[in-house]
mmCIF file of all heavy atoms in Angstrom:
data_model
loop_
_atom_site.group_PDB
_atom_site.id
_atom_site.type_symbol
_atom_site.label_atom_id
_atom_site.label_comp_id
_atom_site.label_asym_id
_atom_site.label_seq_id
_atom_site.Cartn_x
_atom_site.Cartn_y
_atom_site.Cartn_z
ATOM 1 N N VAL A 1 0.805 -1.215 0.000
ATOM 2 C CA VAL A 1 0.000 0.000 0.000
ATOM 3 C C VAL A 1 0.836 1.263 0.000
ATOM 4 O O VAL A 1 0.387 2.305 -0.486
ATOM 5 C CB VAL A 1 -1.004 0.028 1.173
ATOM 6 C CG1 VAL A 1 -1.984 -1.129 1.057
ATOM 7 C CG2 VAL A 1 -0.291 -0.019 2.517
ATOM 8 N N ALA A 2 2.037 1.200 0.544
ATOM 9 C CA ALA A 2 2.899 2.371 0.584
ATOM 10 C C ALA A 2 4.331 1.941 0.832
ATOM 11 O O ALA A 2 4.580 0.936 1.497
ATOM 12 C CB ALA A 2 2.460 3.349 1.673
ATOM 13 N N SER A 3 5.268 2.687 0.306
ATOM 14 C CA SER A 3 6.674 2.393 0.532
ATOM 15 C C SER A 3 7.463 3.683 0.632
ATOM 16 O O SER A 3 7.021 4.741 0.161
ATOM 17 C CB SER A 3 7.248 1.500 -0.572
ATOM 18 O OG SER A 3 7.264 2.162 -1.820
ATOM 19 N N ILE A 4 8.632 3.574 1.229
ATOM 20 C CA ILE A 4 9.487 4.738 1.408
ATOM 21 C C ILE A 4 10.940 4.307 1.351
ATOM 22 O O ILE A 4 11.314 3.268 1.889
ATOM 23 C CB ILE A 4 9.169 5.458 2.746
ATOM 24 C CG1 ILE A 4 9.979 6.744 2.881
ATOM 25 C CG2 ILE A 4 9.394 4.531 3.937
ATOM 26 C CD1 ILE A 4 9.508 7.630 4.029
ATOM 27 N N THR A 5 11.760 5.091 0.694
ATOM 28 C CA THR A 5 13.179 4.792 0.595
ATOM 29 C C THR A 5 13.927 5.378 1.781
ATOM 30 O O THR A 5 13.382 6.134 2.582
ATOM 31 C CB THR A 5 13.782 5.345 -0.701
ATOM 32 O OG1 THR A 5 13.765 6.780 -0.657
ATOM 33 C CG2 THR A 5 13.009 4.866 -1.921
ATOM 34 N N LEU A 6 15.179 5.024 1.880
ATOM 35 C CA LEU A 6 16.018 5.529 2.953
ATOM 36 C C LEU A 6 16.079 7.049 2.924
ATOM 37 O O LEU A 6 16.156 7.695 3.972
ATOM 38 C CB LEU A 6 17.424 4.938 2.833
ATOM 39 C CG LEU A 6 18.351 5.050 4.041
ATOM 40 C CD1 LEU A 6 17.765 4.326 5.243
ATOM 41 C CD2 LEU A 6 19.723 4.464 3.686
ATOM 42 N N GLY A 7 16.032 7.613 1.740
ATOM 43 C CA GLY A 7 16.096 9.054 1.590
ATOM 44 C C GLY A 7 14.763 9.767 1.669
ATOM 45 O O GLY A 7 14.723 11.001 1.575
ATOM 46 N N GLY A 8 13.671 9.011 1.818
ATOM 47 C CA GLY A 8 12.367 9.622 2.002
ATOM 48 C C GLY A 8 11.479 9.696 0.779
ATOM 49 O O GLY A 8 10.404 10.309 0.840
ATOM 50 N N SER A 9 11.877 9.086 -0.312
ATOM 51 C CA SER A 9 11.021 9.045 -1.495
ATOM 52 C C SER A 9 9.887 8.051 -1.264
ATOM 53 O O SER A 9 10.120 6.937 -0.811
ATOM 54 C CB SER A 9 11.832 8.643 -2.721
ATOM 55 O OG SER A 9 11.017 8.597 -3.873
ATOM 56 N N THR A 10 8.657 8.448 -1.582
ATOM 57 C CA THR A 10 7.486 7.623 -1.268
ATOM 58 C C THR A 10 6.712 7.206 -2.501
ATOM 59 O O THR A 10 6.758 7.866 -3.542
ATOM 60 C CB THR A 10 6.534 8.367 -0.326
ATOM 61 O OG1 THR A 10 6.103 9.584 -0.950
ATOM 62 C CG2 THR A 10 7.218 8.695 0.992
ATOM 63 N N ASN A 11 5.996 6.103 -2.358
ATOM 64 C CA ASN A 11 5.074 5.612 -3.374
ATOM 65 C C ASN A 11 3.845 5.063 -2.683
ATOM 66 O O ASN A 11 3.935 4.507 -1.583
ATOM 67 C CB ASN A 11 5.720 4.527 -4.231
ATOM 68 C CG ASN A 11 6.705 5.075 -5.228
ATOM 69 O OD1 ASN A 11 6.324 5.643 -6.236
ATOM 70 N ND2 ASN A 11 7.992 4.915 -4.948
ATOM 71 N N TYR A 12 2.691 5.204 -3.351
ATOM 72 C CA TYR A 12 1.429 4.772 -2.773
ATOM 73 C C TYR A 12 0.591 4.008 -3.778
ATOM 74 O O TYR A 12 0.607 4.305 -4.977
ATOM 75 C CB TYR A 12 0.613 5.967 -2.273
ATOM 76 C CG TYR A 12 1.291 6.754 -1.183
ATOM 77 C CD1 TYR A 12 2.077 7.858 -1.478
ATOM 78 C CD2 TYR A 12 1.144 6.383 0.154
ATOM 79 C CE1 TYR A 12 2.704 8.579 -0.482
ATOM 80 C CE2 TYR A 12 1.769 7.099 1.158
ATOM 81 C CZ TYR A 12 2.546 8.198 0.841
ATOM 82 O OH TYR A 12 3.168 8.906 1.844
ATOM 83 N N GLU A 13 -0.136 3.034 -3.275
ATOM 84 C CA GLU A 13 -1.122 2.353 -4.086
ATOM 85 C C GLU A 13 -2.237 3.352 -4.391
ATOM 86 O O GLU A 13 -2.568 4.199 -3.566
ATOM 87 C CB GLU A 13 -1.644 1.128 -3.333
ATOM 88 C CG GLU A 13 -2.428 0.140 -4.174
ATOM 89 C CD GLU A 13 -3.901 0.461 -4.222
ATOM 90 O OE1 GLU A 13 -4.418 1.038 -3.240
ATOM 91 O OE2 GLU A 13 -4.539 0.132 -5.237
ATOM 92 N N ASP A 14 -2.803 3.259 -5.576
ATOM 93 C CA ASP A 14 -3.756 4.268 -6.029
ATOM 94 C C ASP A 14 -4.913 4.507 -5.059
ATOM 95 O O ASP A 14 -5.340 5.648 -4.863
ATOM 96 C CB ASP A 14 -4.319 3.888 -7.398
ATOM 97 C CG ASP A 14 -3.319 4.059 -8.515
ATOM 98 O OD1 ASP A 14 -2.312 4.774 -8.315
ATOM 99 O OD2 ASP A 14 -3.538 3.487 -9.595
ATOM 100 N N SER A 15 -5.411 3.459 -4.459
ATOM 101 C CA SER A 15 -6.591 3.585 -3.619
ATOM 102 C C SER A 15 -6.339 4.347 -2.314
ATOM 103 O O SER A 15 -7.291 4.769 -1.656
ATOM 104 C CB SER A 15 -7.178 2.206 -3.297
ATOM 105 O OG SER A 15 -6.321 1.465 -2.453
ATOM 106 N N VAL A 16 -5.077 4.530 -1.940
ATOM 107 C CA VAL A 16 -4.774 5.218 -0.688
ATOM 108 C C VAL A 16 -4.112 6.570 -0.903
ATOM 109 O O VAL A 16 -3.858 7.286 0.072
ATOM 110 C CB VAL A 16 -3.893 4.356 0.249
ATOM 111 C CG1 VAL A 16 -4.506 2.978 0.443
ATOM 112 C CG2 VAL A 16 -2.468 4.242 -0.285
ATOM 113 N N LYS A 17 -3.860 6.927 -2.129
ATOM 114 C CA LYS A 17 -3.225 8.211 -2.421
ATOM 115 C C LYS A 17 -4.073 9.361 -1.892
ATOM 116 O O LYS A 17 -5.281 9.399 -2.078
ATOM 117 C CB LYS A 17 -3.011 8.382 -3.924
ATOM 118 C CG LYS A 17 -1.880 7.554 -4.491
ATOM 119 C CD LYS A 17 -1.701 7.813 -5.977
ATOM 120 C CE LYS A 17 -0.546 7.006 -6.543
ATOM 121 N NZ LYS A 17 -0.394 7.211 -7.998
ATOM 122 N N GLY A 18 -3.413 10.284 -1.225
ATOM 123 C CA GLY A 18 -4.107 11.422 -0.657
ATOM 124 C C GLY A 18 -4.684 11.172 0.709
ATOM 125 O O GLY A 18 -5.115 12.120 1.378
ATOM 126 N N ARG A 19 -4.713 9.912 1.136
ATOM 127 C CA ARG A 19 -5.268 9.560 2.439
ATOM 128 C C ARG A 19 -4.221 9.026 3.406
ATOM 129 O O ARG A 19 -4.306 9.276 4.602
ATOM 130 C CB ARG A 19 -6.381 8.522 2.284
ATOM 131 C CG ARG A 19 -7.535 8.972 1.399
ATOM 132 C CD ARG A 19 -8.704 7.995 1.448
ATOM 133 N NE ARG A 19 -8.340 6.673 0.942
ATOM 134 C CZ ARG A 19 -8.379 5.554 1.671
ATOM 135 N NH1 ARG A 19 -8.778 5.602 2.940
ATOM 136 N NH2 ARG A 19 -8.040 4.394 1.131
ATOM 137 N N PHE A 20 -3.256 8.287 2.883
ATOM 138 C CA PHE A 20 -2.219 7.681 3.717
ATOM 139 C C PHE A 20 -0.894 8.404 3.518
ATOM 140 O O PHE A 20 -0.586 8.879 2.419
ATOM 141 C CB PHE A 20 -2.015 6.207 3.355
ATOM 142 C CG PHE A 20 -3.145 5.287 3.727
ATOM 143 C CD1 PHE A 20 -4.370 5.774 4.159
ATOM 144 C CD2 PHE A 20 -2.970 3.914 3.645
ATOM 145 C CE1 PHE A 20 -5.408 4.924 4.496
ATOM 146 C CE2 PHE A 20 -3.999 3.050 3.977
ATOM 147 C CZ PHE A 20 -5.217 3.547 4.402
ATOM 148 N N THR A 21 -0.105 8.462 4.576
ATOM 149 C CA THR A 21 1.225 9.038 4.508
ATOM 150 C C THR A 21 2.209 8.114 5.215
ATOM 151 O O THR A 21 2.034 7.800 6.388
ATOM 152 C CB THR A 21 1.276 10.427 5.158
ATOM 153 O OG1 THR A 21 0.347 11.304 4.518
ATOM 154 C CG2 THR A 21 2.681 11.021 5.023
ATOM 155 N N ILE A 22 3.226 7.686 4.498
ATOM 156 C CA ILE A 22 4.262 6.854 5.082
ATOM 157 C C ILE A 22 5.462 7.721 5.431
ATOM 158 O O ILE A 22 5.800 8.661 4.705
ATOM 159 C CB ILE A 22 4.663 5.703 4.135
ATOM 160 C CG1 ILE A 22 5.612 4.721 4.830
ATOM 161 C CG2 ILE A 22 5.272 6.236 2.843
ATOM 162 C CD1 ILE A 22 5.879 3.451 4.028
ATOM 163 N N SER A 23 6.095 7.424 6.549
ATOM 164 C CA SER A 23 7.277 8.158 6.966
ATOM 165 C C SER A 23 8.190 7.216 7.739
ATOM 166 O O SER A 23 7.793 6.103 8.097
ATOM 167 C CB SER A 23 6.905 9.377 7.820
ATOM 168 O OG SER A 23 6.228 8.984 8.999
ATOM 169 N N ARG A 24 9.401 7.653 7.991
ATOM 170 C CA ARG A 24 10.328 6.815 8.748
ATOM 171 C C ARG A 24 11.257 7.662 9.584
ATOM 172 O O ARG A 24 11.604 8.787 9.224
ATOM 173 C CB ARG A 24 11.124 5.894 7.815
ATOM 174 C CG ARG A 24 12.073 6.598 6.859
ATOM 175 C CD ARG A 24 12.589 5.654 5.770
ATOM 176 N NE ARG A 24 13.407 4.571 6.305
ATOM 177 C CZ ARG A 24 13.859 3.534 5.592
ATOM 178 N NH1 ARG A 24 13.544 3.454 4.295
ATOM 179 N NH2 ARG A 24 14.595 2.593 6.153
ATOM 180 N N ASP A 25 11.649 7.101 10.702
ATOM 181 C CA ASP A 25 12.636 7.698 11.578
ATOM 182 C C ASP A 25 13.789 6.710 11.617
ATOM 183 O O ASP A 25 13.756 5.725 12.349
ATOM 184 C CB ASP A 25 12.059 7.935 12.974
ATOM 185 C CG ASP A 25 13.013 8.682 13.890
ATOM 186 O OD1 ASP A 25 14.241 8.613 13.671
ATOM 187 O OD2 ASP A 25 12.535 9.339 14.828
ATOM 188 N N ASN A 26 14.785 6.963 10.820
ATOM 189 C CA ASN A 26 15.886 6.018 10.683
ATOM 190 C C ASN A 26 16.668 5.834 11.978
ATOM 191 O O ASN A 26 17.170 4.748 12.253
ATOM 192 C CB ASN A 26 16.821 6.472 9.559
ATOM 193 C CG ASN A 26 16.154 6.434 8.198
ATOM 194 O OD1 ASN A 26 15.353 5.539 7.912
ATOM 195 N ND2 ASN A 26 16.479 7.397 7.353
ATOM 196 N N ALA A 27 16.772 6.887 12.772
ATOM 197 C CA ALA A 27 17.488 6.795 14.037
ATOM 198 C C ALA A 27 16.793 5.846 15.005
ATOM 199 O O ALA A 27 17.438 5.229 15.853
ATOM 200 C CB ALA A 27 17.640 8.170 14.669
ATOM 201 N N LYS A 28 15.475 5.737 14.896
ATOM 202 C CA LYS A 28 14.698 4.867 15.772
ATOM 203 C C LYS A 28 14.336 3.538 15.118
ATOM 204 O O LYS A 28 13.634 2.728 15.723
ATOM 205 C CB LYS A 28 13.415 5.569 16.212
ATOM 206 C CG LYS A 28 13.647 6.785 17.093
ATOM 207 C CD LYS A 28 12.329 7.386 17.541
ATOM 208 C CE LYS A 28 12.548 8.560 18.472
ATOM 209 N NZ LYS A 28 11.274 9.149 18.938
ATOM 210 N N ASN A 29 14.801 3.328 13.901
ATOM 211 C CA ASN A 29 14.480 2.109 13.153
ATOM 212 C C ASN A 29 12.976 1.869 13.104
ATOM 213 O O ASN A 29 12.507 0.739 13.274
ATOM 214 C CB ASN A 29 15.192 0.899 13.768
ATOM 215 C CG ASN A 29 16.695 1.019 13.710
ATOM 216 O OD1 ASN A 29 17.263 1.268 12.651
ATOM 217 N ND2 ASN A 29 17.347 0.832 14.844
ATOM 218 N N THR A 30 12.244 2.927 12.868
ATOM 219 C CA THR A 30 10.792 2.870 12.898
ATOM 220 C C THR A 30 10.197 3.466 11.634
ATOM 221 O O THR A 30 10.666 4.497 11.149
ATOM 222 C CB THR A 30 10.242 3.613 14.125
ATOM 223 O OG1 THR A 30 10.811 3.046 15.315
ATOM 224 C CG2 THR A 30 8.732 3.499 14.206
ATOM 225 N N VAL A 31 9.162 2.812 11.131
ATOM 226 C CA VAL A 31 8.403 3.291 9.983
ATOM 227 C C VAL A 31 6.966 3.513 10.433
ATOM 228 O O VAL A 31 6.423 2.723 11.203
ATOM 229 C CB VAL A 31 8.447 2.296 8.816
ATOM 230 C CG1 VAL A 31 7.724 2.860 7.603
ATOM 231 C CG2 VAL A 31 9.888 1.963 8.453
ATOM 232 N N TYR A 32 6.357 4.574 9.939
ATOM 233 C CA TYR A 32 5.008 4.928 10.333
ATOM 234 C C TYR A 32 4.078 4.951 9.127
ATOM 235 O O TYR A 32 4.503 5.154 7.995
ATOM 236 C CB TYR A 32 4.970 6.306 10.995
ATOM 237 C CG TYR A 32 5.908 6.458 12.168
ATOM 238 C CD1 TYR A 32 7.178 7.005 12.006
ATOM 239 C CD2 TYR A 32 5.524 6.055 13.443
ATOM 240 C CE1 TYR A 32 8.040 7.148 13.076
ATOM 241 C CE2 TYR A 32 6.376 6.192 14.519
ATOM 242 C CZ TYR A 32 7.629 6.741 14.333
ATOM 243 O OH TYR A 32 8.475 6.880 15.404
ATOM 244 N N LEU A 33 2.810 4.759 9.403
ATOM 245 C CA LEU A 33 1.789 4.923 8.381
ATOM 246 C C LEU A 33 0.629 5.692 8.994
ATOM 247 O O LEU A 33 -0.100 5.159 9.832
ATOM 248 C CB LEU A 33 1.298 3.577 7.843
ATOM 249 C CG LEU A 33 0.308 3.665 6.676
ATOM 250 C CD1 LEU A 33 0.992 4.243 5.437
ATOM 251 C CD2 LEU A 33 -0.296 2.296 6.361
ATOM 252 N N GLN A 34 0.488 6.936 8.593
ATOM 253 C CA GLN A 34 -0.637 7.753 9.012
ATOM 254 C C GLN A 34 -1.775 7.514 8.041
ATOM 255 O O GLN A 34 -1.628 7.744 6.839
ATOM 256 C CB GLN A 34 -0.256 9.230 9.034
ATOM 257 C CG GLN A 34 -1.388 10.167 9.421
ATOM 258 C CD GLN A 34 -1.840 9.987 10.849
ATOM 259 O OE1 GLN A 34 -1.017 9.921 11.754
ATOM 260 N NE2 GLN A 34 -3.151 9.887 11.057
ATOM 261 N N MET A 35 -2.902 7.058 8.552
ATOM 262 C CA MET A 35 -4.046 6.722 7.725
ATOM 263 C C MET A 35 -5.209 7.638 8.083
ATOM 264 O O MET A 35 -5.690 7.619 9.214
ATOM 265 C CB MET A 35 -4.449 5.263 7.913
ATOM 266 C CG MET A 35 -3.313 4.279 7.660
ATOM 267 S SD MET A 35 -3.857 2.555 7.745
ATOM 268 C CE MET A 35 -4.294 2.455 9.475
ATOM 269 N N ASN A 36 -5.637 8.426 7.121
ATOM 270 C CA ASN A 36 -6.762 9.334 7.302
ATOM 271 C C ASN A 36 -7.896 8.953 6.359
ATOM 272 O O ASN A 36 -7.699 8.230 5.390
ATOM 273 C CB ASN A 36 -6.337 10.779 7.040
ATOM 274 C CG ASN A 36 -5.252 11.264 7.976
ATOM 275 O OD1 ASN A 36 -5.218 10.905 9.147
ATOM 276 N ND2 ASN A 36 -4.359 12.111 7.459
ATOM 277 N N SER A 37 -9.070 9.484 6.645
ATOM 278 C CA SER A 37 -10.247 9.235 5.806
ATOM 279 C C SER A 37 -10.423 7.752 5.522
ATOM 280 O O SER A 37 -10.641 7.337 4.382
ATOM 281 C CB SER A 37 -10.133 10.024 4.498
ATOM 282 O OG SER A 37 -10.001 11.406 4.740
ATOM 283 N N LEU A 38 -10.346 6.963 6.553
ATOM 284 C CA LEU A 38 -10.400 5.515 6.393
ATOM 285 C C LEU A 38 -11.754 5.041 5.872
ATOM 286 O O LEU A 38 -12.793 5.597 6.213
ATOM 287 C CB LEU A 38 -10.076 4.830 7.714
ATOM 288 C CG LEU A 38 -8.582 4.827 8.071
ATOM 289 C CD1 LEU A 38 -8.381 4.546 9.547
ATOM 290 C CD2 LEU A 38 -7.849 3.792 7.219
ATOM 291 N N LYS A 39 -11.691 4.015 5.057
ATOM 292 C CA LYS A 39 -12.864 3.417 4.447
ATOM 293 C C LYS A 39 -12.977 1.951 4.862
ATOM 294 O O LYS A 39 -11.975 1.335 5.217
ATOM 295 C CB LYS A 39 -12.766 3.490 2.918
ATOM 296 C CG LYS A 39 -12.554 4.883 2.358
ATOM 297 C CD LYS A 39 -12.349 4.825 0.850
ATOM 298 C CE LYS A 39 -12.128 6.211 0.275
ATOM 299 N NZ LYS A 39 -11.905 6.159 -1.197
ATOM 300 N N PRO A 40 -14.169 1.389 4.803
ATOM 301 C CA PRO A 40 -14.306 -0.040 5.118
ATOM 302 C C PRO A 40 -13.392 -0.924 4.274
ATOM 303 O O PRO A 40 -12.938 -1.964 4.757
ATOM 304 C CB PRO A 40 -15.784 -0.317 4.819
ATOM 305 C CG PRO A 40 -16.459 0.979 5.086
ATOM 306 C CD PRO A 40 -15.484 2.021 4.594
#
């Protein structure tokens, strides 16, 4: 549904574009997915 490179370049599946945001904190070895306007 979403991916992110080490440098922060992102890609999204069409159905989630504009609603989901992927991010990462490399220092914490953590990746996040903010999901808004969720649908069934």
Side-chain angles (χ1 to χ4, degrees):
V1 298
S3 66
I4 185 168
T5 67
L6 195 61
S9 180
T10 59
N11 285 285
Y12 298 93
E13 194 271 330
D14 288 342
S15 68
V16 308
K17 286 182 179 178
R19 301 189 297 118
F20 290 10
T21 302
I22 188 171
S23 61
R24 66 193 296 172
D25 186 335
N26 295 323
K28 294 183 177 181
N29 298 308
T30 303
V31 184
Y32 305 95
L33 185 66
Q34 178 66 47
M35 305 185 294
N36 299 324
S37 302
L38 284 162
K39 305 175 180 179

